[in-house]
Amino acid sequence: MSVFNLEALLALLGLFVLLLEAFVPSVSSKALAGICMAGVAGVLVLLVTVAGGQDALPAFIGAYHQLDTLAIFYKAFALVITFLVLWLTLEAAPYLSKFTLDGKLGEMFSLPLFVCVGMMWMASAKDLVTVFVSLELVTVSFYVLVAYTRKSALALEAGVKYLILGALSTGVLVFGVAWVYGATGALSFEGITKAVQVGGVNKTALLFGVSFLLAGLGFKVAAVPFQMWVPDVYQGASTPTTVFLSVGSKAAGFAVLTRVIDALTVSGSMVRQEVITVLSIAGAVTVVVGSLPALFQTNVKRLLAYSSISHAGFLLLALAARDSVRVDLAPGGTVAFYLATYLPMTVLGFAALIQMRLNGRGEELDDFKGLAQKSPTLAFLITLAFASLAGLPLTAGFFGKMWVMLGLVDQQLWFALVCAIIGAAAGFYYYFRVILAMFTPEESTEPVRMGALARGVCVVLGCTIIVLGVYPKPLQMLLAKVPVAGKNATGH
Amino acid sequence: MITLNHYLFVSGALFALGLAGVVVRRNIIIIFMCLEMMLSAANLALVGFSRFRVTDGLPDYAAHSLVFFTITVAAAEVAVGLAVIVALYRTRQSVEVDTITRMQG
């Protein structure tokens, strides 16, 4: 059993669930979700157990597929977030099913599996063809997922917006790939790395292609100026899909960006300085542009969308300051660490939104009033998630933000540092506004209840936030082994 | 004699036309057609580059393979995209972008 078969297994499971849902009407949502979650958990176990004693990949696949630490990390990340999204979908089923045509959730369980397959392939991609195909597998599945609850006017609107802007980014991306290929004569990251080092490449053509390539990827990770779709799509899509977009799609985008940036900024590269400048400016502006509108948001789901843009900015800055060696993280490791801390807090934040909906409350700031009296557990968990999103010390979000800023100091990117500090400070204001609302007393006394399973999963996520915030060493050690580009040509 | 520059010029013009269409037109179906035109522009550039990078008298076929993938993906995108647009038309009786402005701010 080789690791590269895992994607195939998962795709087969997805097809099986799709057919099961179509031809066996008696099977319930719960059973479908159970099968999918068991399958994803099983693949995760296989990945963890097999990944250690990995043999060399066979030649036919070794040219397209690599299995370094980073690839295995992002594969595990994709599986974990898919599992949580499936759980959230099941959790939100009572109100989500009102918005589908047949009152069932059907493909909302099989499509995340295909998205997961795409993300796993992307994590291992060694060339731009594989990146493109797996990216599109993810994006096309998301077109369906975003618009799936189509009786909701907002979901359909979000679906169309995501479709148009997603297709636009695809066009831009392929155009960029074409020019990068034209300039370097290579589609593989290895070939591009060599071409930019050796020289003899038309620099103007290369920069032209790289700017389109980065713009295309910028759409996927919601970097300024390609972030316009985020608030609308996140607000309109069903909450489990929003989580998937916010965490999964972003992580996959950054997995690819890490590889692309690795190839382009290898030491001695002719476009190194330009790429780092563009990254730091885009990251800095993204942090600010994400943070400022969030200050005035009254819809918490939309607030989390803006916060997601601001986090994308921090991740871009982590890529810009990638040569900093202050912490024990290899280049690309800081991004991976940041994403690993971003996962539990974002999922917990959105899971709380689902619990609010299940209790007949909305997603506005006023709906959070008095929550501390009615459900102290939920209020405490939301406080934890939002404090971590803001980057409070002793929570998971702290180290990610701190290391990014330290990296910026090391690289002397002062403009970016100032923007990052403004963004972080603004974050404290708008996240704590929600926390303050929860602790404001309110007259009405309808209780807020949580199911036992929901409570259990949320507490586990909360514990992860604290553990990562207090003792991040193990994760740091794991990611310290991320190899540097150019030295891992064989991909082990 | 047609050189690589001719192909790149046509490809660039197609891409710019497509992008302009996406920005200017208000009908979602037309916007979608413009998006497909942008993909075709990228394909033309890929084939052009690949055809003119000759080794041992043969063009480099790596980029050709990407073109086939792009065509397939574009077809999948159209299949899903038109379904979403039809769903929009059924609820709003219109496919103008001005009808999808409920969320703002």
Side-chain angles (χ1 to χ4, degrees):
Chain A
M1 183 76 209
S2 215
V3 172
F4 68 89
N5 286 332
L6 295 178
E7 287 91 344
L9 258 181
L10 209 57
L12 279 178
L13 180 71
L15 288 175
F16 171 75
V17 173
L18 198 63
L19 293 174
L20 189 70
E21 195 271 329
F23 292 106
V24 189
S26 58
V27 64
S28 67
S29 289
K30 225 170 207 168
L32 285 176
I35 296 172
C36 293
M37 285 164 79
V40 171
V43 171
L44 183 59
V45 170
L46 276 178
L47 176 73
V48 173
T49 49
V50 176
Q54 183 55 45
D55 306 332
L57 290 172
F60 76 95
I61 196 123
Y64 311 102
H65 207 88
Q66 60 185 336
L67 279 171
D68 52 8
T69 320
L70 208 58
I72 289 170
F73 169 80
Y74 279 114
K75 274 173 202 271
F77 190 96
L79 288 163
V80 169
I81 187 61
T82 310
F83 184 85
L84 287 169
V85 165
L86 288 166
W87 166 71
L88 285 174
T89 311
L90 186 63
E91 190 73 17
Y95 77 87
L96 278 189
S97 51
K98 285 182 207 149
F99 294 111
T100 58
L101 275 194
D102 54 357
K104 285 182 174 178
L105 289 181
E107 288 91 354
M108 280 200 86
F109 295 113
S110 53
L111 283 171
L113 296 184
F114 295 122
V115 174
C116 184
V117 171
M119 294 195 300
M120 286 171 74
W121 256 321
M122 228 186 294
S124 293
K126 271 181 94 170
D127 63 304
L128 291 167
V129 181
T130 318
V131 166
F132 172 71
V133 175
S134 44
L135 199 65
E136 286 312 298
L137 178 57
V138 171
T139 313
V140 174
S141 307
F142 267 126
Y143 295 154
V144 186
L145 276 174
V146 171
Y148 198 77
T149 48
R150 60 191 251 201
K151 273 194 194 164
S152 145
L154 294 188
L156 203 52
E157 192 176 317
V160 174
K161 283 181 181 168
Y162 188 59
L163 172 75
I164 301 294
L165 290 173
L168 181 66
S169 76
T170 305
V172 172
L173 182 78
V174 183
F175 198 69
V177 170
W179 276 85
V180 169
Y181 167 77
T184 62
L187 282 168
S188 68
F189 294 141
E190 216 179 310
I192 295 173
T193 310
K194 266 189 206 132
V196 293
Q197 269 177 323
V198 171
V201 171
N202 184 336
K203 194 173 169 186
T204 319
L206 181 59
L207 280 176
F208 185 70
V210 166
S211 50
F212 276 90
L213 182 64
L214 290 183
L217 289 172
F219 263 109
K220 309 285 176 194
V221 300
V224 168
F226 311 109
Q227 90 300 358
M228 303 84 72
W229 59 275
V230 172
D232 289 355
V233 172
Y234 281 23
Q235 188 189 351
S238 63
T239 308
T241 309
T242 308
V243 177
F244 216 5
L245 274 173
S246 169
V247 182
S249 178
K250 181 169 292 169
F254 272 103
V256 172
L257 259 181
T258 307
R259 307 271 191 210
V260 171
I261 301 298
D262 264 345
L264 291 174
T265 62
V266 68
S267 61
S269 158
M270 56 199 295
V271 290
R272 184 185 154 81
Q273 200 47 52
E274 287 87 343
V275 169
I276 288 184
T277 310
V278 165
L279 271 181
S280 65
I281 292 176
V285 177
T286 306
V287 170
V288 173
V289 168
S291 301
L292 294 187
L295 294 174
F296 310 106
Q297 282 307 314
T298 54
N299 181 307
V300 177
K301 201 170 172 187
R302 216 173 158 82
L303 187 146
L304 282 171
Y306 280 111
S307 120
S308 155
I309 298 177
S310 144
H311 282 283
F314 274 102
L315 286 159
L316 283 174
L317 289 180
L319 276 180
R322 52 201 307 293
D323 293 328
S324 161
V325 285
R326 188 185 296 227
V327 280
D328 268 354
L329 286 173
T334 320
V335 175
F337 183 89
Y338 199 107
L339 283 166
T341 58
Y342 179 68
L343 183 144
M345 54 206 196
T346 310
V347 175
L348 187 53
F350 281 108
L353 285 184
I354 290 178
Q355 292 303 324
M356 300 290 282
R357 283 297 285 270
L358 287 172
N359 281 290
R361 289 167 161 252
E363 287 148 357
E364 296 294 320
L365 204 55
D366 288 342
D367 293 306
F368 282 77
K369 274 198 178 140
L371 195 67
Q373 296 163 301
K374 287 162 197 160
S375 174
T377 323
L378 188 59
F380 175 72
L381 288 169
I382 296 178
T383 308
L384 195 59
F386 278 58
S388 174
L389 281 167
L392 196 73
L394 294 185
T395 57
F398 174 68
F399 285 108
K401 275 191 177 149
M402 191 183 73
W403 288 342
V404 170
M405 287 184 190
L406 287 180
L408 292 175
V409 172
D410 286 350
Q411 300 299 305
Q412 302 182 334
L413 297 165
W414 304 119
F415 170 67
L417 182 67
V418 170
C419 289
I421 290 172
I422 293 175
F428 270 97
Y429 174 72
Y430 59 79
Y431 292 119
F432 278 82
R433 219 157 52 112
V434 181
I435 297 175
L436 197 66
M438 289 193 301
F439 288 92
T440 314
E442 198 206 20
E443 295 298 309
S444 99
T445 50
E446 355 159 12
V448 173
R449 291 201 174 83
M450 271 174 101
L453 179 68
R455 191 180 294 257
V457 178
C458 287
V459 167
V460 169
L461 288 171
C463 290
T464 317
I465 292 176
I466 293 180
V467 169
L468 282 177
V470 176
Y471 188 58
K473 199 80 190 165
L475 184 62
Q476 203 184 341
M477 294 300 286
L478 190 74
L479 290 169
K481 288 186 289 184
V482 175
V484 181
K487 288 180 188 163
N488 62 329
T490 48
H492 294 292
Chain B
M1 177 64 193
I2 297 178
T3 62
L4 176 58
N5 285 339
H6 291 87
Y7 286 103
L8 293 181
F9 181 76
V10 174
S11 151
L14 265 181
F15 189 84
L17 273 178
L19 192 60
V22 172
V23 176
V24 172
R25 299 304 291 260
R26 311 313 301 165
N27 184 313
I28 294 174
I29 301 272
I30 307 244
I31 291 178
F32 213 59
M33 285 161 63
C34 292
L35 290 168
E36 294 305 311
M37 202 154 84
M38 288 168 68
L39 275 179
S40 301
N43 282 343
L44 186 60
L46 272 171
V47 174
F49 278 127
S50 150
R51 182 66 188 82
F52 283 89
R53 185 172 292 278
V54 183
T55 40
D56 302 334
L58 282 174
D60 176 6
Y61 286 114
H64 275 72
S65 66
L66 178 55
V67 171
F68 283 109
F69 281 117
T70 318
I71 294 170
T72 321
V73 164
E77 216 168 54
V78 169
V80 172
L82 287 183
V84 173
I85 295 173
V86 167
L88 180 79
Y89 181 74
R90 281 199 182 151
T91 52
R92 308 274 166 95
Q93 301 302 318
S94 156
V95 284
E96 301 290 313
V97 278
D98 306 325
T99 57
I100 52 165
T101 50
R102 196 167 298 189
M103 289 178 289
Q104 262 164 6

